[in-house]
Amino acid sequence: MSVITNDLIAQHNLTGDEYKHIIEILGREPNLTELGMFSVMWSEHCSYKSSRVHLKKLPTTGPRVVQGPGENAGAVDIGDGLCVVFKMESHNHPSFIEPYQGAATGVGGILRDVFTMGARPIALLDSLRFGGLDTAKNRHLMKGVVSGIAGYGNCMGVPTVGGEIVFNDIYSLNPLVNVFCLGIAHKDKIFRGTAAGVGNPVIYFGSKTGRDGIHGATMASDSFDDKSEQKRPTVQVGDPFQEKLLLEACLELMAGDLLVGIQDMGAAGLTSSSCEMASRAGNGIELDLTHVPRREPSMTPYELMLSESQERMLMVAKAGKEDECLAICRKWDLDVAVVGRVTGDGILRVKDHGTVVAEIPAKALADDGPRYERSYTLPPYQDILTNLNCDLIPDVKDANAVLLSLLESSTIASKRWVYHQYDHMVRTNTMVRPGSDAAVVRIKGTNKAVAMTVDCNSRYCMLHPYEGARLAVAEAARNLVCSGAEPIGLTDCLNFGNPERSDIMWQFVLTIEGMKDACEHLRVPIVSGNVSFYNETNGLSIYPTPMLGMVGLIEQADRTTTQWFKAEGDDIILLGTAREDLGGSEYLKVVQAREQGSPPFLNMNAEKALHDCVLAMIRAGMVQSAHDCSDGGLAVALAESAMSGPDRLLGAVVTLALGRLRKDAVLFGESQSRVVLSAKLVHRQAILDSARRVGVPVAVIGSVTGNRLVISLEGEQSAVKVIDVPVAMLYDRWAFSIERTLHQA
Amino acid sequence: MNIGVVVFPGSNCDHDCQYIFRDVLGQDVTMVWHKEASLTRLDAVILPGGFSYGDYLRTGAIARFSPVMGAVKKYAADGGLVLGICNGFQILLEAGLLPGAMLRNQSLHFICNDVHVRVENAATPFTSACKPSQVLKIPIAHADGNYYTDPVTLAGLQANAQIVLRYCTPDGKVTSGGNPNGSLDNIAGVCNAAGNVLGLMPHPERCAESVLGNDDGRLILASLVEGMKKAKPQTVGE
Amino acid sequence: MKAKIHVTLKQGILDPQGKAIEHALDMLGFKRAANVRVGKYMELDLNQTDRAKAEAEVKAMCEKLLANTIIEEYRFELG
Amino acid sequence: MKAKIHVTLKQGILDPQGKAIEHALDMLGFKRAANVRVGKYMELDLNQTDRAKAEAEVKAMCEKLLANTIIEEYRFELG
Ligand SMILES: Nc1ncnc2c1ncn2[C@@H]1O[C@H](COP(=O)(O)OP(=O)(O)O)[C@@H](O)[C@H]1O
Ligand SMILES: [Mg+2]
């Protein structure tokens, strides 16, 4: 009498072949609980079935790597016996359904990933994508997501020190919410999710289990359609207060000699945490659901095993240490219970009131899920996208007006409305707050600081996934370097459409190759990451968005640099050269409403030389400010350096060589490998010499002075003033644009 | 000198206070768990910022019933120095150690930003290192800092110089433009009638080191350290 | 006409506030209180004399703005 | 017994949340709504059959914890 119908199999998002595979593993038909467990573990979200074969190509090793991909988070050595533990995760689908709770629980999840490793979280960054703010729905999504991140992160006492937001209508029905978290741990006290030691007790602690988010993991592996309304009861509600208690309890548990392994219950809850821990140790686990703390009395084994209630953890304690573990959890007012033992037979066996309700080889469930080599092909539309004839586009006439509208466009405008809602100073480490190229937090007890940035220009990625991925890696590293940090590690969150489509898979495969090449070139290992597929609604897919979170080390915290000008009279120096890189630029989008062309040219050797050169200058104390050129090009970078300082606005007078280029390319083109420095006059010669020595193009282009931004272009004959605006006006347009848009609406 | 920092479930500036007093200002610091019913040999007590009990129901409403708060009341009644920062201020209000209550910020948003405050009373043990009317730049980080009290109480606060800090513009003008959250009379910090209990919304511990780019907050913390030396040591039992 | 609107969490949805309040009541010795749930209460004046129209209008307000119907339910009285 | 408790800001105290909702309703085209006030609504089960005792108990809960009488007022029903 089989209870498993074809309908049930389909409802669990399993294919016929996958179901056959389950029968082979078990040697029998699964019962409903087992079917549910397979379905969550073999979902795209948990099993990486479409991405695994490609992710393997990424460079993950390096002298500093303490923990690469495969654990809850990656870890990188920063010396002094310490390491940084970091990861980025997406919570896109839940945030579309319920923006506040979706974003909040996203923060909760990434925090748990980091503190389960034994690290105290010290920084969060958020990377967001929404449709344009001209619709009420998009405004609602953004407000909800931002307050959800604030609500959770602020309460936890972990500062949100940076992030990025890009607006593009392609994200209207599939907004992206990616959150990065970094923690600090002792190198020799990293904890892992392993169920070693037959006989050791398995202990559940944290919140009670409710019927929240059942099938959250399969939902995240599903495209939206008009029926997704019905999936709504799967929304989970976060309780940051409970998570704060969980954090403190975990760190106290880890300080003693009590634990063998520990893992948070994220997607697929009790099922994933137990089978993954067992599988990593080559062991089994026997769970007795009778003891699982629950919010509602009549929950079935199916519900208990699949619930995604937040703020829960599973630990394997050393035998005999149960009581100490329970006491610490109770001190922090947490629910806690011994719910099982480690066994030697490799089986995840689940009992409820004495009867076995599920019995599955742990490794088969955790690691032997399906793996697909999905087909991929260059989509025919790609040619149309890259085909851009700039000769048909008139050059800029009123550069002042264009600069103002770029600064006002929501992607470039200041994100102060957002980050002023985030506590970005708690823990008193924040040396560089949101508003510079990278955030910097000092490491107490050392002279060091850590810089962090999240970056991805997804329009570049859409126009050319391989180039876009390389450009993202380069920009992230450049942002760190401009702060005085050496890039030491990377985490990613790869947001794509439906991998069953060959064009989407093509984007994915090229992205991986681009990341691989760029990371190898810059010698930055990828130590953790996350894949989010099915960001697609009614067949319309997002731009490929491989969000990167890169971490850099500053050996001497007092050599940290920010992007804004410091003093009247300083030189303004440009490193790098302009080309005609208008393809995929913010300028073309804002002024010409075109998202077309080839993304900017990137030469990795030039990029690396630039990084080494800038770092050496900063370390030698020659630099007052450093800012990379990205969205909006050189004119926007200069404006940002003039107006983004915390205390005052400073003007600049600059002359740029026009050469044979178009004016708009010089002002707003997004040529890569460029940095705007400011420096005291005494350092001019040393800066010029050290750049020339390593072949980095360098020019003194002007000086910090007055209260206007004045830019002239020097053609064949004489210089022509093309931009001349009071910095206060630039500031007003840029700083309050988002606030105005939200309030006027 | 020994400073007690109370740890409520959900406190999250407790480590920051510990760090600044111990590692930067060189004082002894004792972390006091909220379930402790007595405060022994402390020269001052800090109620730190954070989200005690998640700030559920109202900020500070549940924490005020923690066992330690009985001891804090006695400690304050005996003249001990008590400083409540942000959530600590909110707890002091709910506990009745300071008059008034907090409403949501006028913008309804959490606000994290530098603000300016003017020292209205430089004669308290918490402000003695400041000059009268000195303007300090100190960050705030809260969603409920919109101070309210009834007109009679307000008049009393004004008359007794209990308004210690007021939000102001960078050049020291107490105007609505300098008021970040709608607080009544631009109140950023008030003390009790005896002057030994201060609550303030801004976070001096976040701006007391030059590596963080601002050390204005140090004036308040250093005042407290000086103030402790003058006050007699306190022990409060059950 | 006055509308009195109650917005509460749907059954089964976690109520962290309610949980914390219950814990506090317990601490305070109110041992007989259980299942605390917290919701919102709103009052507003509606410049509308037609009862049916008022009803439709408040329902629309709830659906569109006042309640988050993904996790909350609402009820209201007119009077 | 079930207690249903309403906690609202006292008259005369500015209610920024109510104002924000009123503004939002206005933007959505609900022009007939005015004087929006927002409060809290709490429900709890009381293991108490004596009505007078229950009344005294809930009053004590409100005075001590559930309402801050400097800024709020409360009312409750038992049933
Ligand atoms: N969602 C956000 N949360 C916090 N900070 C943000 C957010 N979006 C942007 N920021 C901050 O605003 C500044 C500018 O962001 P961005 O233009 O993306 O920088 P860049 O181009 O250098 O990567 C950065 O310091 C960034 O950290
Ligand atoms: Mg940058």
Side-chain angles (χ1 to χ4, degrees):
Chain A
M1 41 139 250
S2 169
V3 291
I4 308 298
T5 60
N6 285 341
D7 268 0
L8 263 178
I9 295 168
Q11 275 164 28
H12 283 81
N13 279 339
L14 289 162
T15 66
D17 284 342
E18 287 168 354
Y19 184 68
K20 272 189 216 136
H21 189 187
I22 293 173
I23 294 183
E24 275 165 36
I25 288 169
L26 296 178
R28 58 176 167 82
E29 285 198 357
N31 62 32
L32 184 60
T33 303
E34 292 167 334
L35 185 75
M37 291 165 68
F38 273 108
S39 106
V40 288
M41 289 309 298
W42 287 10
S43 67
E44 188 65 59
H45 187 73
C46 291
S47 73
Y48 292 87
K49 56 188 168 192
S50 305
S51 56
R52 238 187 234 214
V53 291
H54 302 289
L55 293 174
K56 280 204 307 242
K57 300 174 206 158
L58 294 173
T60 60
T61 54
R64 288 183 185 273
V65 176
V66 176
Q67 176 66 58
E71 278 289 334
N72 289 303
V76 176
D77 194 342
I78 58 164
D80 292 315
L82 299 173
C83 60
V84 284
V85 175
F86 57 91
K87 182 164 195 249
M88 180 151 53
E89 275 232 336
S90 64
H91 232 209
N92 307 334
H93 291 71
S95 303
F96 182 59
I97 292 175
E98 212 307 279
Y100 184 98
Q101 294 296 344
T105 52
V107 174
I110 191 66
L111 282 163
R112 283 195 298 285
D113 275 333
V114 167
F115 70 74
T116 7
M117 301 283 295
R120 180 175 281 282
I122 60 167
L124 289 163
L125 288 88
D126 61 327
S127 194
L128 312 175
R129 295 288 180 278
F130 301 104
L133 290 178
D134 49 345
T135 76
K137 173 77 179 166
N138 292 338
R139 289 193 297 271
H140 165 78
L141 285 168
M142 174 164 106
K143 288 182 189 169
V145 164
V146 168
S147 47
I149 292 170
Y152 210 101
N154 296 353
C155 183
M156 286 294 292
V158 180
T160 303
V161 295
E164 56 146 25
I165 309 186
V166 170
F167 299 89
N168 190 303
D169 286 337
I170 200 76
Y171 298 103
S172 289
L173 293 175
N174 291 93
L176 302 184
V177 176
N178 293 181
V179 188
F180 164 101
C181 179
L182 178 136
I184 193 108
H186 287 282
K187 194 182 159 188
D188 54 5
K189 284 220 82 175
I190 297 269
F191 285 79
R192 293 182 172 83
T194 169
V198 173
N200 280 334
V202 176
I203 302 175
Y204 169 116
F205 66 116
S207 287
K208 293 184 170 67
T209 297
R211 290 196 173 96
D212 318 82
I214 291 173
H215 273 181
T218 45
M219 177 180 81
S221 309
D222 209 3
S223 302
F224 277 112
D225 55 36
D226 298 327
K227 281 182 292 187
S228 48
E229 297 276 316
Q230 295 163 7
K231 293 184 176 159
R232 281 181 169 173
T234 58
V235 168
Q236 312 142 31
V237 169
D239 182 353
F241 170 57
Q242 186 77 17
E243 176 120 324
K244 170 73 172 152
L245 302 181
L246 196 60
L247 161 67
E248 298 302 334
C250 274
L251 295 181
E252 197 170 324
L253 285 161
M254 289 161 166
D257 182 30
L258 307 174
L259 304 187
V260 169
I262 180 165
Q263 176 153 346
D264 79 300
M265 291 190 221
L270 202 46
T271 299
S272 67
S273 53
S274 56
C275 76
E276 286 174 7
M277 283 175 83
S279 174
R280 284 197 196 102
N283 280 332
I285 281 183
E286 184 169 303
L287 289 179
D288 189 346
L289 297 179
T290 321
H291 307 299
V292 171
R294 60 195 77 190
R295 238 171 39 230
E296 292 165 77
S298 60
M299 290 180 68
T300 63
Y302 180 96
E303 290 172 324
L304 288 166
M305 289 308 290
L306 266 56
S307 161
E308 294 192 354
S309 287
Q310 300 289 298
E311 293 97 22
R312 301 179 302 157
M313 302 272 241
L314 205 61
M315 61 180 153
V316 175
K318 296 191 170 163
K321 303 281 191 182
E322 293 88 333
D323 290 346
E324 278 174 72
C325 293
L326 298 186
I328 291 174
C329 293
R330 292 199 179 114
K331 170 186 165 191
W332 290 99
D333 288 330
L334 298 172
D335 275 293
V336 57
V338 176
V339 293
R341 299 266 151 204
V342 178
T343 60
D345 61 4
I347 305 284
L348 175 59
R349 188 175 295 106
V350 184
K351 289 183 173 174
D352 190 25
H353 293 92
T355 32
V356 173
V357 293
E359 210 168 5
I360 307 175
K363 179 163 180 298
L365 192 55
D367 297 316
D368 299 344
R371 240 163 250 208
Y372 296 123
E373 295 225 26
R374 301 204 185 270
S375 63
Y376 55 94
T377 42
L378 172 71
Y381 55 76
Q382 206 66 31
D383 266 354
I384 306 168
L385 292 174
T386 40
N387 196 348
L388 172 74
N389 183 353
C390 281
D391 296 342
L392 302 180
I393 299 171
D395 200 345
V396 60
K397 290 211 183 59
D398 184 349
N400 284 326
V402 169
L403 177 60
L404 287 167
S405 52
L406 276 172
L407 293 176
E408 202 166 38
S409 69
S410 38
T411 293
I412 291 181
S414 167
K415 305 304 180 304
R416 67 200 290 282
W417 182 86
V418 175
Y419 58 71
H420 283 160
Q421 295 183 51
Y422 300 154
D423 189 340
H424 49 262
M425 300 182 219
V426 62
R427 301 206 64 75
T428 63
N429 296 322
T430 311
M431 293 178 59
V432 180
R433 303 175 183 180
S436 194
D437 280 324
V440 180
V441 296
R442 57 123 172 230
I443 306 299
K444 282 182 184 139
T446 72
N447 283 327
K448 293 174 179 161
V450 170
M452 291 156 284
T453 179
V454 284
D455 287 288
C456 173
N457 185 319
S458 44
R459 183 163 47 240
Y460 295 169
C461 293
M462 176 271 290
L463 295 172
H464 199 304
Y466 174 81
E467 290 298 330
R470 290 169 71 239
L471 287 159
V473 173
E475 185 186 345
R478 208 184 310 133
N479 278 327
L480 295 179
V481 163
C482 285
S483 317
E486 172 200 353
I488 57 169
L490 183 64
T491 180
D492 64 63
C493 195
L494 308 176
N495 305 273
F496 287 78
N498 178 350
E500 295 157 45
R501 277 171 49 178
S502 67
D503 55 337
I504 301 294
M505 209 53 211
W506 175 81
Q507 295 175 338
F508 186 78
V509 173
L510 263 73
T511 298
I512 296 281
E513 280 167 13
M515 284 171 59
K516 167 182 183 290
D517 287 353
C519 287
E520 282 175 350
H521 211 112
L522 299 179
R523 281 190 221 97
V524 185
I526 298 180
V527 297
S528 56
N530 173 250
V531 179
S532 169
F533 279 128
Y534 298 97
N535 292 288
E536 163 172 326
T537 298
N538 294 332
L540 183 65
S541 176
I542 59 163
Y543 290 167
T545 313
M547 204 72 76
L548 304 181
M550 203 184 280
V551 177
L553 180 63
I554 301 175
E555 292 279 354
Q556 255 182 290
D558 60 354
R559 286 290 153 84
T560 298
T561 306
T562 48
Q563 72 178 29
W564 47 86
F565 295 144
K566 300 296 182 301
E568 189 86 20
D570 284 349
D571 272 339
I572 301 174
I573 296 170
L574 176 66
L575 300 174
T577 33
R579 305 160 34 96
E580 193 174 289
D581 284 311
L582 288 172
S585 65
E586 199 64 30
Y587 163 73
L588 276 195
K589 171 161 194 273
V590 171
V591 178
Q592 301 282 344
R594 282 175 199 260
E595 300 188 64
Q596 254 185 314
S598 292
F601 170 81
L602 174 65
N603 174 328
M604 268 297 168
N605 290 325
E607 185 73 36
K608 179 80 172 100
L610 174 84
H611 295 185
D612 294 344
C613 173
V614 171
L615 258 186
M617 289 174 185
I618 290 178
R619 286 174 176 164
M622 298 192 283
V623 174
Q624 292 266 67
S625 73
H627 186 23
D628 89 304
C629 287
S630 56
D631 298 347
L634 184 55
V636 166
L638 286 165
E640 286 172 345
S641 288
M643 67 189 173
S644 60
D647 293 318
R648 64 194 173 126
L649 310 174
L650 277 168
V653 174
V654 166
T655 304
L656 303 172
L658 187 54
R660 298 215 308 258
L661 293 173
R662 296 163 59 109
K663 284 189 274 178
D664 53 8
V666 173
L667 293 170
F668 308 115
E670 297 179 3
S671 291
Q672 297 294 298
S673 313
R674 291 188 299 169
V675 167
V676 175
L677 302 179
S678 70
K680 292 185 185 150
L681 302 187
V682 289
H683 294 126
R684 180 189 291 180
Q685 202 52 48
I687 288 176
L688 295 175
D689 290 346
S690 60
R692 285 178 187 139
R693 208 176 310 127
V694 291
V696 171
V698 60
V700 178
I701 57 170
S703 62
V704 178
T705 178
N707 53 18
R708 305 175 76 84
L709 176 64
V710 182
I711 302 179
S712 306
L713 296 179
E714 195 158 45
E716 314 271 279
Q717 299 100 27
S718 61
V720 182
K721 203 188 276 179
V722 288
I723 286 179
D724 184 358
V725 196
V727 180
M729 181 190 283
L730 298 172
Y731 178 76
D732 179 73
R733 291 288 193 99
W734 170 80
F736 306 106
S737 164
I738 290 194
E739 235 159 304
R740 271 193 292 261
T741 309
L742 293 175
H743 286 169
Q744 277 162 10
Chain B
M1 295 282 118
N2 190 3
I3 299 176
V5 175
V6 179
V7 183
F8 297 97
S11 291
N12 66 29
C13 302
D14 46 342
H15 293 148
D16 300 354
C17 290
Q18 178 186 40
Y19 176 79
I20 205 78
F21 281 112
R22 188 188 61 193
D23 299 277
V24 179
L25 296 170
Q27 306 299 308
D28 290 332
V29 174
T30 304
M31 303 306 274
V32 181
W33 184 237
H34 74 114
K35 285 191 179 153
E36 289 177 27
S38 65
L39 299 171
T40 20
R41 301 218 141 273
L42 295 177
D43 299 295
V45 173
I46 313 288
L47 306 189
F51 287 71
S52 56
Y53 290 96
D55 272 359
Y56 295 140
L57 187 62
R58 292 182 312 276
T59 57
I62 301 180
R64 77 171 254 226
F65 294 110
S66 276
V68 75
M69 285 308 292
V72 171
K73 272 188 190 167
K74 286 197 195 109
Y75 183 85
D78 289 346
L81 297 180
V82 178
L83 174 64
I85 303 171
C86 197
N87 194 230
F89 184 13
Q90 294 162 338
I91 295 169
L92 290 172
L93 293 174
E94 284 282 342
L97 278 160
L98 291 173
M102 286 298 177
L103 298 166
R104 291 289 300 279
N105 292 347
Q106 219 157 44
S107 67
L108 298 178
H109 289 306
F110 188 97
I111 305 170
C112 176
N113 204 0
D114 284 330
V115 299
H116 292 88
V117 291
R118 197 171 75 186
V119 179
E120 305 290 27
N121 181 346
T124 76
F126 309 94
T127 48
S128 57
C130 308
K131 295 186 211 64
S133 297
Q134 184 170 357
V135 176
L136 308 177
K137 183 170 89 173
I138 309 188
I140 55 167
H142 60 248
D144 303 79
N146 182 354
Y147 181 86
Y148 173 84
T149 192
D150 62 82
V152 177
T153 310
L154 178 64
L157 292 175
Q158 289 164 340
N160 298 330
Q162 282 172 253
I163 301 172
V164 179
L165 299 170
R166 276 201 177 91
Y167 298 112
C168 65
T169 59
D171 55 354
K173 299 208 177 66
V174 176
T175 60
S176 63
N179 186 337
N181 54 24
S183 181
L184 185 69
D185 202 21
N186 281 38
I187 288 176
V190 291
C191 66
N192 62 347
N196 62 319
V197 178
L198 174 73
L200 78 172
M201 289 315 288
H203 284 273
E205 81 283 10
R206 294 186 180 187
C207 56
E209 296 169 86
S210 53
V211 285
L212 301 182
N214 175 8
D215 56 7
D216 282 7
R218 198 164 179 142
L219 287 174
I220 291 186
L221 306 175
S223 301
L224 174 63
V225 171
E226 278 311 301
M228 288 187 313
K229 291 183 187 153
K230 289 177 201 144
K232 60 178 176 15
Q234 303 287 324
T235 302
V236 176
E238 306 224 19
Chain C
M1 208 174 293
K2 212 178 189 74
K4 299 181 174 188
I5 304 157
H6 289 83
V7 178
T8 49
L9 285 171
K10 285 183 182 167
Q11 269 315 319
I13 298 257
L14 179 73
D15 180 3
Q17 266 210 96
K19 211 171 67 176
I21 294 172
E22 194 166 320
H23 181 80
L25 286 173
D26 193 71
M27 231 164 49
L28 284 173
F30 296 106
K31 307 277 177 199
R32 292 162 178 277
N35 303 327
V36 182
R37 305 278 292 172
V38 181
K40 272 180 243 145
Y41 171 68
M42 286 167 267
E43 280 180 10
L44 52 88
D45 293 333
L46 204 60
N47 178 11
Q48 174 65 270
T49 45
D50 181 324
R51 209 180 168 80
K53 279 192 190 150
E55 196 132 335
E57 214 160 326
V58 175
K59 185 167 185 320
M61 289 178 198
C62 289
E63 291 281 339
K64 276 197 152 160
L65 181 74
L66 304 181
N68 176 356
T69 52
I70 296 153
I71 51 175
E72 294 171 331
E73 53 200 14
Y74 63 88
R75 61 195 159 79
F76 60 87
E77 302 136 43
L78 296 172
Chain D
M1 207 173 294
K2 215 180 186 71
K4 300 181 175 188
I5 304 158
H6 291 82
V7 177
T8 48
L9 283 174
K10 283 183 179 168
Q11 272 313 322
I13 293 196
L14 193 73
D15 175 6
Q17 230 177 327
K19 276 189 99 164
I21 292 178
E22 196 166 317
H23 179 75
L25 285 173
D26 194 69
M27 303 293 292
L28 285 173
F30 295 105
K31 307 279 178 197
R32 291 162 178 277
N35 303 326
V36 182
R37 304 279 295 173
V38 182
K40 281 177 220 142
Y41 171 68
M42 288 170 264
E43 278 181 10
L44 53 87
D45 293 333
L46 205 60
N47 179 12
Q48 174 65 272
T49 45
D50 182 321
R51 211 183 166 76
K53 281 193 189 150
E55 197 131 335
E57 216 161 326
V58 176
K59 186 168 186 321
M61 289 177 198
C62 289
E63 291 282 338
K64 267 197 138 166
L65 178 71
L66 302 181
N68 178 340
T69 51
I70 298 176
I71 45 175
E72 294 169 329
E73 54 199 14
Y74 64 88
R75 62 194 160 80
F76 61 88
E77 304 136 43
L78 296 172

